[in-house]
Amino acid sequence: MEYAVCYDHSGIQLAWSIFLDVTAFFVIMAPLAAARLIAISRASRADRLQLA
């Protein structure tokens, strides 16, 4: 007995799905990484001002 599938098993569809997943991951992570870099940058500036 064969089971019905709702999606195409072709390589193009798989590659497109992986591409969208990776893109979504970077879209979510990029602002978090930018915020972290800004926080690190501000902390290092404060350290330099205290040493002077």
Side-chain angles (χ1 to χ4, degrees):
M1 173 190 276
E2 291 186 29
Y3 294 101
V5 291
C6 300
Y7 57 92
D8 186 10
H9 286 288
S10 71
I12 298 292
Q13 292 294 334
L14 178 62
W16 183 247
S17 176
I18 291 170
F19 172 75
L20 289 178
D21 289 343
V22 169
T23 303
F25 174 78
F26 283 122
V27 165
I28 292 169
M29 295 304 291
L32 298 174
R36 180 72 178 141
L37 287 173
I38 291 169
I40 290 171
S41 171
R42 287 183 179 164
S44 68
R45 271 190 263 152
D47 290 342
R48 275 189 254 142
L49 289 175
Q50 290 175 356
L51 291 174

